[in-house]
Amino acid sequence: MKETAMTRFLDAGAVAALVRDVGVDTALRQLADHIRQDFLRWHRFEKSARLASHSPVGVIELMPVTDGAQYAFKYVNGHPANAAVGLPTVMAFGALAEVSTGFPLLLADMTLATALRTAATSALAARAMARPGSRTMALIGNGAQAEFQALAFHALLGVREVRAYDIDAQATARLRRNLSGAAGLDVLAVKSVEEALSGAQIVTTATADKTRAVILADGQVGPGVHINAVGGDCPGKTELDPAILRRARVAVEYAPQSRIEGEVQQMPDDFPVSELWQVLSGEVPGRGSDDEVTVFDSVGFALEDYSALRWLHASACARHLGRFIELVATPEDGRDLYGWLMAPGNGDGRAVAGWQRVAA
């Protein structure tokens, strides 16, 4: 029996099983805690805007980040027309590796984890920026992110009523059906943006079209509202009237990336924004007064995926979930890759201290 260096692998089914085992509400809370911990370590991370490859129909992106001990990256796409061919708009996978050796500890589907971490980050920002006691949210755009947004705001902020609107009434019907068993949360189907906004202290926009849209006009947004702008997340894709931004306190995840991809791509380069780490650390206030309009301009940042992968890895290890694969060749003699190739039973490489050891 030899020991070999193996990578824990979580396919989509394994990630779903893990989240069901933990419970969606608990998973959202735990993810929010991980994300908050990592944003409070902001200066320890080597950061960069994601590498994006754009096409007329969508975008494919790579999102790397490291804190010097672990390295993470995510592959993710965004293709608004995918529903027509039976595919999700967003699909993703990611890896977590140790920096000391470069060995990949985890390879995982991140389609579900991306939805969870996006919602958890939204609610985390809203806890610092929305008016205390906000219990009604307008949810404009009821695609794949909608359930997670509703549950995250319910779990982390105590939102009790979601006023849901989508140009596709079937999407809203699906949302209501999926959340019909969520205790203490009422999802109301409404017929217009204006009706969704009625009485809402929080507004989440999560539309998918890759276009410069005005989902919210300036005159529709009253004093004290917090806007969680999720859908505008690549160049040429926006949801908010620029006039809203001009009169609002705006927070972003990572300004160099958000100025290219977020709502603030519509604004001058010197338009003032705070970064989320500053708000969470208390360096800057999330809100200046009860009447102030606040905006979290969320495009998704690699640090959130690092947090999600860190949570997935720890949770899977604790529950002995997933399976192990020989993702990379590990010859007995690291210099003799050819000899490993030609040897019968290749793949039985040696384990190095600190790697996952599995009996082969």
Side-chain angles (χ1 to χ4, degrees), residues 19-179:
V19 174
R20 287 195 302 270
D21 186 50
V22 173
V24 176
D25 285 359
T26 300
L28 286 164
R29 291 190 186 97
Q30 291 179 354
L31 269 171
D33 286 342
H34 278 63
I35 292 165
R36 184 177 185 279
Q37 291 165 14
D38 291 332
F39 268 93
L40 293 179
R41 299 191 300 132
W42 183 257
H43 296 295
R44 293 186 58 179
F45 286 88
E46 180 182 315
K47 300 171 289 290
S48 63
R50 55 192 165 206
L51 179 64
S53 177
H54 294 276
S55 71
V57 294
V59 62
I60 295 174
E61 300 168 332
L62 291 176
M63 301 172 66
V65 71
T66 181
D67 66 349
Q70 292 183 316
Y71 174 94
F73 80 86
K74 184 176 79 174
Y75 165 102
V76 63
N77 77 299
H79 285 69
N82 268 6
V85 294
L87 288 173
T89 299
V90 175
M91 296 174 284
F93 67 87
L96 182 71
E98 58 182 19
V99 171
S100 60
T101 64
F103 186 77
L105 302 170
L106 175 70
L107 176 66
D109 169 76
M110 288 195 71
T111 307
L112 176 56
T114 295
L116 287 163
R117 69 82 157 139
T118 300
T121 305
S122 292
L124 188 63
R127 276 202 314 208
M129 300 182 73
R131 284 183 295 180
S134 296
R135 296 293 181 263
T136 301
M137 180 170 76
L139 182 49
I140 302 168
N142 301 159
Q145 178 64 203
E147 287 89 348
F148 301 97
Q149 288 284 331
L151 290 171
F153 276 80
H154 178 56
L156 274 73
L157 277 84
V159 164
R160 293 193 290 261
E161 180 178 283
V162 172
R163 304 178 64 82
Y165 172 71
D166 195 291
I167 57 173
D168 179 1
Q170 292 184 352
T172 305
R174 182 215 73 241
L175 171 66
R176 295 190 70 222
R177 183 173 62 252
N178 283 345
L179 297 185

Side-chain angles (χ1 to χ4, degrees), residues 271-359:
F271 178 74
V273 299
S274 299
E275 290 183 322
L276 182 58
W277 73 267
Q278 295 174 298
V279 175
L280 295 179
S281 68
E283 181 172 309
V284 301
R287 164 174 294 275
S289 70
D290 283 349
D291 289 338
E292 187 174 43
V293 173
T294 57
V295 175
F296 177 47
D297 181 9
S298 174
V299 299
F301 182 54
L303 184 54
E304 297 152 34
D305 300 310
Y306 170 95
S307 303
L309 284 162
R310 187 166 70 85
W311 176 79
L312 280 173
H313 187 240
S315 299
C317 289
R319 290 167 173 77
H320 307 289
L321 294 177
R323 59 189 177 92
F324 292 97
I325 58 173
E326 196 170 3
L327 181 64
V328 294
T330 55
E332 189 80 24
D333 177 353
R335 299 165 298 181
D336 189 14
L337 184 61
Y338 183 80
W340 174 89
L341 163 69
M342 301 305 293
N346 59 3
D348 293 338
R350 64 184 175 86
V352 173
W355 294 4
Q356 174 65 49
R357 290 182 170 89
V358 178

